[in-house]
């Protein structure tokens, strides 16, 4: 089993890439662009800004698609300003975080010590702006 940690907004997902991967994935997803995958995320978070918490399996599929298109990216933020707005209003940001740092953040999350404020400050820098 190969686990991949992926930060989606303020939640670190543990993705079992072997379970997510199917033999036809490369062929099936090769036509998708990263822009289209980002738009899928924008749609998801426009409908529900807490989609990553309310539907973690869907969030894991989105994270997996992002890593298929951009293997070095292991963090994505979809910032919806309002529920039910158009997907184009959802701000999107992709990052590559050091895997050791991401693993440490996952441990903090498992101990209940990681929160949205901390992630915003350390990764997305929204509160600092």
């Amino acid at each position: 089993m190969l686990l991949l940690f992926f930060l989606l907004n303020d939640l670190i997902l543990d993705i079992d890439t072997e379970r997510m991967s199917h033999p036809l994935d490369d062929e099936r997803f090769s036509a998708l662009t990263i822009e289209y995958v980002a738009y899928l995320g924008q749609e998801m978070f426009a409908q529900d800004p807490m989609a990553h918490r309310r539907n973690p399996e869907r969030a894991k599929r989105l994270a997996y698609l992002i890593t298929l298109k951009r293997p070095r990216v292991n963090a994505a933020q979809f910032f919806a300003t309002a529920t039910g707005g158009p997907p184009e209003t959802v701000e999107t940001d992709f990052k590559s975080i050091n895997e050791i740092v991401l693993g440490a953040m996952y441990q903090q999350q498992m101990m209940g010590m990681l929160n949205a404020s901390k992630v915003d400050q350390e990764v997305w820098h929204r509160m600092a702006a």
Side-chain angles (χ1 to χ4, degrees), residues 1-4 15-22 64 67:
M1 174 167 52
L2 180 61
L3 277 182
L4 166 80
I15 301 169
D16 178 355
T17 58
E18 291 175 5
R19 188 178 71 81
M20 299 292 284
S21 175
H22 300 285
Y64 182 67
T67 59

Side-chain angles (χ1 to χ4, degrees), residues 43-113:
E43 283 184 326
M44 183 168 111
F45 284 94
Q47 292 170 358
D48 180 5
M50 296 301 290
H52 60 303
R53 294 197 177 271
R54 291 192 182 112
N55 194 340
E57 285 307 310
R58 187 175 180 201
K60 286 180 182 184
R61 286 192 302 273
L62 175 63
Y64 182 67
L65 279 175
I66 293 168
T67 59
L68 284 177
K69 297 316 262 169
R70 293 287 188 265
R72 291 192 175 121
V73 169
N74 60 6
Q77 182 181 51
F78 293 90
F79 183 72
T81 55
T83 303
E88 296 80 14
T89 64
V90 176
E91 295 178 27
T92 306
D93 192 8
F94 296 115
K95 289 194 182 235
S96 178
I97 300 174
N98 179 296
E99 292 176 19
I100 294 171
V101 171
L102 199 54
M105 289 173 69
Y106 181 75
Q107 292 303 318
Q108 289 177 352
Q109 178 177 288
M110 297 306 292
M111 294 185 295
M113 297 172 54

